[in-house]
Amino acid sequence: MSGPTLVIELAESPSPRALREFRASMVRLSSQFDEKRPGFYDVTVTAERLGVEDRREGDW
């Protein structure tokens, strides 16, 4: 099941340290994580892991 997609375009490249920290956060939060190439991620994060109640119907 796919859900919303979020794309963030930055005015300039983040530092390597910032990318490492962001990647580590995504790994901790996601139930599925794949880094296609540096800075391009495919992640699955459930609403509950973000502290949000998922109110969708079961067959959504």
Side-chain angles (χ1 to χ4, degrees):
M1 163 183 357
S2 63
T5 299
L6 174 65
V7 176
I8 301 172
E9 292 188 30
L10 303 173
E12 56 187 52
S13 297
S15 70
R17 179 178 180 217
L19 276 178
R20 283 192 306 272
E21 291 175 4
F22 179 75
R23 182 183 190 282
S25 296
M26 290 294 96
V27 169
R28 281 192 305 274
L29 285 172
S30 66
S31 57
Q32 182 273 324
F33 176 89
D34 186 26
E35 186 171 6
K36 305 290 185 184
R37 59 185 192 270
F40 290 82
Y41 309 99
D42 180 10
V43 297
T44 300
V45 180
T46 62
E48 292 80 11
R49 300 266 327 234
L50 298 173
V52 177
E53 182 181 348
D54 186 353
R55 296 183 181 187
R56 295 178 295 185
E57 298 295 324
D59 60 349
W60 178 82

